[in-house]
Amino acid sequence: MSPKSANHHHKFVILFATSTLALSILIVLVANTFAKERLKWQQQVNRRKCDAEGEAIINVHQRVVKSVDSGQAGNYWAFDNYDRNIKVWKIDETTNEFCATVTYNGDFDAIAGQRSPGNTGILTGKEDGRFDGGYRMHIIGTMQIDPKFNITKGSIGTAYYNCDINGNCPGAFDWTTKYFNTTATGFSSTLEWWGWQYRAPKNKVWVNSIDGNSGDVI
């Protein structure tokens, strides 16, 4: 091997090692970013966190069509279609206390020209993606199942919200009114935890949670 070829080989090794190191650092940085944006909502939305035992007294699922999503700037930025599962456990017989978990899995359609949910820029409308998450709710009240809606297990069909960009949703569905006397004195429903994560193209993620917001879809 000539000195020239040896030097060239040595230079290649150095460049390769440097590139490998840079790539490794980049991978770590990207991994750390994903770890930061990742929301482990399942750890908060479950029976154990409800301190409940046995089977849920309500366990239904529903399809929701054309809901609308708001972001950190206060504007509506996407239309959503999703499936949600609603479970309710009675956790105290004497005080009529219940715990509910509602989980979501669906897709979002970004609206061109709107502020992004993380409020870092303007959407082009190509930032469509998937989202999931949910909430845990503490309820005090009396169960009163709507006689026109006597379903506590299985599918409760599809709710067509038909929302517009201003947040008007003529077909919105409040599931608590179907299972509880929400107008009675003493009724209360408190969100103990909530959070969703939105995955857009180019590995963009926006987290919207009671624990804080992070990232964006652009």
Side-chain angles (χ1 to χ4, degrees), residues 4-5 14 23 36 45 52 58 65 84 86 102 104 108 114 116 129 141 145 162 172 181 191 198 206 215 218:
K4 183 176 180 180
S5 62
I14 293 174
L23 179 60
K36 180 181 178 182
V45 186
I58 297 171
V65 175
R84 65 178 175 183
I86 303 165
V102 182
Y104 292 67
F108 61 89
Q114 296 299 302
S116 62
I145 299 176
N162 293 326
N181 185 357
L191 287 176
Y198 299 76
W206 179 54
I218 61 174

Side-chain angles (χ1 to χ4, degrees), residues 154-166:
S155 173
I156 56 175
T158 300
Y160 295 92
Y161 276 34
N162 293 326
C163 300
D164 63 25
I165 198 172
N166 297 312

Side-chain angles (χ1 to χ4, degrees), residues 1 22 25-26 49 58 67 78 80 88 95 113 115 123 141 162-163 170 172 183 187 193 200-201 207 209 215:
M1 181 182 291
I25 293 173
L26 178 61
K49 280 292 185 178
I58 297 171
S67 178
D80 299 338
V88 178
T95 58
R115 292 293 300 179
L123 298 170
N162 293 326
C163 300
T183 61
F187 175 85
W193 192 92
V207 169
S209 166

Side-chain angles (χ1 to χ4, degrees), residues 65-70 74-76 78-79 111 160-173:
V65 175
K66 203 179 180 184
S67 178
V68 69
D69 234 323
S70 60
N75 64 295
Y76 294 98
F79 291 113
I111 304 170
Y160 295 92
Y161 276 34
N162 293 326
C163 300
D164 63 25
I165 198 172
N166 297 312
N168 300 308
C169 303
F173 180 96

Side-chain angles (χ1 to χ4, degrees), residues 24-215:
S24 298
I25 293 173
L26 178 61
I27 290 173
V28 170
L29 289 175
V30 171
N32 286 340
T33 299
F34 285 157
K36 180 181 178 182
E37 309 300 355
R38 185 179 178 186
L39 181 68
K40 298 179 180 179
W41 59 267
Q42 296 92 338
Q43 296 180 0
Q44 294 290 340
V45 186
N46 57 58
R47 184 181 67 176
R48 181 176 56 82
K49 280 292 185 178
C50 279
D51 196 23
E53 298 180 355
E55 295 295 321
I57 58 176
I58 297 171
N59 185 357
V60 296
H61 57 270
Q62 181 182 48
R63 178 69 176 169
V64 173
V65 175
K66 203 179 180 184
S67 178
V68 69
D69 234 323
S70 60
Q72 291 172 225
N75 64 295
Y76 294 98
W77 66 277
F79 291 113
D80 299 338
N81 298 312
Y82 55 84
D83 296 301
R84 65 178 175 183
N85 182 244
I86 303 165
K87 292 184 179 181
V88 178
W89 292 268
K90 191 165 189 177
I91 56 177
D92 195 311
E93 293 286 346
T94 59
T95 58
N96 275 340
E97 291 185 64
F98 301 82
C99 182
T101 62
V102 182
T103 60
Y104 292 67
N105 194 310
D107 56 80
F108 61 89
D109 181 12
I111 304 170
Q114 296 299 302
R115 292 293 300 179
S116 62
N119 198 23
T120 64
I122 302 298
L123 298 170
T124 66
K126 297 180 180 180
E127 299 85 358
D128 303 347
R130 300 281 303 172
F131 75 97
D132 55 20
Y135 63 83
R136 187 178 74 250
M137 176 186 285
H138 180 254
I139 298 172
I140 299 176
T142 303
M143 281 197 71
Q144 182 176 296
I145 299 176
D146 186 336
K148 298 179 182 179
F149 196 81
N150 191 18
I151 303 172
T152 58
K153 307 289 182 182
S155 173
I156 56 175
T158 300
Y160 295 92
Y161 276 34
N162 293 326
C163 300
D164 63 25
I165 198 172
N166 297 312
N168 300 308
C169 303
F173 180 96
D174 180 359
W175 68 267
T176 62
T177 64
K178 304 300 181 182
Y179 296 106
F180 293 91
N181 185 357
T182 58
T183 61
T185 302
F187 175 85
S188 67
S189 59
T190 305
L191 287 176
E192 295 185 325
W193 192 92
W194 54 267
W196 290 266
Q197 57 187 351
Y198 299 76
R199 298 182 180 88
K202 299 181 180 179
N203 294 321
K204 299 296 184 179
V205 180
W206 179 54
V207 169
N208 178 217
S209 166
I210 190 173
D211 298 323
N213 303 315
S214 62

